[in-house]
Amino acid sequence: MTDSHIQARFKLAFTSQAQQGFNLDVDLYLPGKGIIALFGHSGSGKTTLLRCMAGLQNCDKGLMQVNGQVWQDGKTNLATHKRGLSYVFQESSLLAHLSVKANLLYALKRAKQRSAQNLAQIVAMMDLGDLLNHHPEQLSGGERQRVAIARALLTEPSLLLMDEPLASLDINRKQEILPYLEKLKHNTKVPVVYVSHDINEVARLADYVVVMQQGKVMAAGDLNEVLPHISLFVGMAEDASVVLDTALIAKDPEWNLIQVKLNQTTDACLWLRDSGEAIGTTMRIRLQAKDVSISLSEHQDSSIVNRLPALVQAFKPDQDKAMVLVELRLDDCIIMARITQRSLSHLKLEIGMQVWAQIKSVAIVS
Ligand SMILES: Nc1ncnc2c1ncn2[C@@H]1O[C@H](COP(=O)(O)OP(=O)(O)OP(=O)(O)O)[C@@H](O)[C@H]1O
């Protein structure tokens, strides 16, 4: 086993007179870097798992190792404050009587290095320069969460645990703070376990996804291993999708469109609405299987702009028995189409067949 992994194994039962009780039973071997999303419906056990990882929830026979450091096993069970972790909650818990700067300095005291350079870098990354003399009550919800994230990073954690950090924010505030979470992902090496039940947030931020249901892990893997089949795991058929990191290669000012290349090694491109990005920009897009249809020939008389030749690669079951997920290969990219079983039969689709993928809509996630 290499050291750059997070291992988390917990079994726990909550008994309740009113309800049947809740059992958490997970055994995870996670990457030791990037953003790991814990995704699932309300009550699936995401927060309980995070609390077990943090040592806030007692779990006698648990195992927790982070990049070679043992936090809990048969012999060891470190208290939360000795685990080298930071926790960001839904509501930021800033010290109300202290300014932003004093809140940050308070966290810096807990850091091993206590480096002023680290403080300056994190203040710049979270854009807090103009807010340093403000008090928490003078900040918006989004600004408070930026301070909370900065404070969490300043302690130089080995693991950052974030429990729905955007849940208390309205849609506009969420959009404001998401770029900071992307910066955190690109500019720091701290692995983040990020709880969310928002598929868009997961598509935008996650490198790795753990899908939970009723205390169990239904699926765990890289974003694009899990996202296309999510309907099978948690009954979210509408959300089956793939995420592609595309590059903006051309603009068509006459029609206000941009052209993106699906990845570095393919010639396959899509046209999207121009939202002002520059040529060369990397854009993460999400293609939902429900927005992709299949035809046997190219329909030039269609209003659908994006029609690409594709190869039928596999058929995957859908939770809805009337539907099927078709895995399509476009050069070396995989996308999914969600069609009816009747269309599958009518078109006589078979693995290896050449078809046309018609992409009705594309979401730009970042
Ligand atoms: N201390 C406790 N005692 C008893 N039951 C608990 C306790 N903590 C959580 N539970 C139960 O465990 C289950 C999982 O809760 P948890 O908060 O982990 O879910 P979640 O996926 O994070 O949900 P949400 O998205 O709503 O926050 C729920 O049924 C909850 O009622």
Side-chain angles (χ1 to χ4, degrees), residues 38 93 122 125 173 249 268 297 316 362 366:
L38 293 187
S93 49
I122 290 172
M125 180 166 79
R173 296 279 180 226
I249 55 164
S297 55
K316 307 273 176 175
V362 178
S366 63

Side-chain angles (χ1 to χ4, degrees), residues 14-15 19 22 40-49 57 90 164 195 197:
F14 289 134
T15 44
Q19 304 165 7
F22 172 83
H41 292 303
S42 186
S44 56
K46 306 178 297 291
T47 297
T48 304
L49 172 55
Q57 174 67 55
Q90 281 183 20
E164 306 216 38
V195 168
H197 60 247

Side-chain angles (χ1 to χ4, degrees), residues 179-199:
Y180 292 99
L181 292 172
E182 281 169 340
K183 275 207 233 173
L184 180 155
K185 168 173 155 158
H186 295 301
N187 298 353
T188 73
K189 292 201 172 91
V190 186
V192 181
V193 180
Y194 186 101
V195 168
S196 178
H197 60 247
D198 181 337
I199 190 81

Side-chain angles (χ1 to χ4, degrees), residues 55-76:
L56 290 167
Q57 174 67 55
N58 193 24
C59 182
D60 288 343
K61 290 191 180 144
L63 174 73
M64 184 68 194
Q65 299 191 10
V66 177
N67 291 333
Q69 300 166 32
V70 178
W71 290 356
Q72 185 176 358
D73 64 8
K75 290 182 244 154
T76 309

Side-chain angles (χ1 to χ4, degrees), residues 265-278:
T265 52
T266 181
D267 291 328
C269 291
L270 293 173
W271 288 100
L272 316 179
R273 275 210 333 248
D274 191 350
S275 340
E277 297 81 2

Side-chain angles (χ1 to χ4, degrees), residues 9 23 58:
R9 190 191 304 146
N23 291 304
N58 193 24

